[in-house]
Amino acid sequence: IKTDLILVEGFKKCKIKKIEIFNRNLNKPLLYMSDENILGLVIDKEDKITKQKNLEIFKFDDTEGIAKFILKHARNEFINWFA
């Protein structure tokens, strides 16, 4: 199968670039503070905790912004791969 981009779920401990999805209602800790591979954060509610690290932050309903972010990083990876 020929593909240009593969999105996966899980793989929290793998050293691959990631976007963390965070829902406060699940009462689980944020992972981005201890994982340098998390480049973006999709959240239900922004607060000062999520502003501590330099990463892109999106709301759940910002699907266009999230898609652009993924494509930008995929494009950069593709360019770097052939550099």
Side-chain angles (χ1 to χ4, degrees):
I1 298 174
K2 184 178 176 183
T3 61
D4 293 320
L5 179 67
I6 298 172
L7 300 176
V8 295
E9 182 182 1
F11 299 94
K12 290 178 186 169
K13 297 181 182 175
C14 288
K15 295 185 181 199
I16 58 174
K17 293 182 179 173
K18 307 173 195 134
I19 297 175
E20 180 175 0
I21 312 300
F22 183 74
N23 183 338
R24 292 187 187 289
N25 295 327
L26 298 178
N27 294 319
K28 293 188 177 184
L30 282 160
L31 303 174
Y32 78 91
M33 297 293 282
S34 61
D35 188 341
E36 64 187 27
N37 294 300
I38 295 175
L39 305 177
L41 182 61
V42 180
I43 57 174
D44 55 344
K45 182 180 176 186
E46 187 174 354
D47 63 21
K48 63 182 179 182
I49 294 172
T50 56
K51 295 178 184 176
Q52 292 180 5
K53 185 177 176 186
N54 185 23
L55 77 162
E56 297 263 354
I57 298 175
F58 304 94
K59 297 281 180 109
F60 280 178
D61 61 353
D62 185 9
T63 54
E64 185 175 342
I66 295 165
K68 285 179 181 179
F69 176 79
I70 291 169
L71 291 174
K72 177 180 82 173
H73 283 279
R75 194 175 301 118
N76 290 344
E77 284 296 312
F78 182 76
I79 290 169
N80 291 335
W81 194 35
F82 288 104

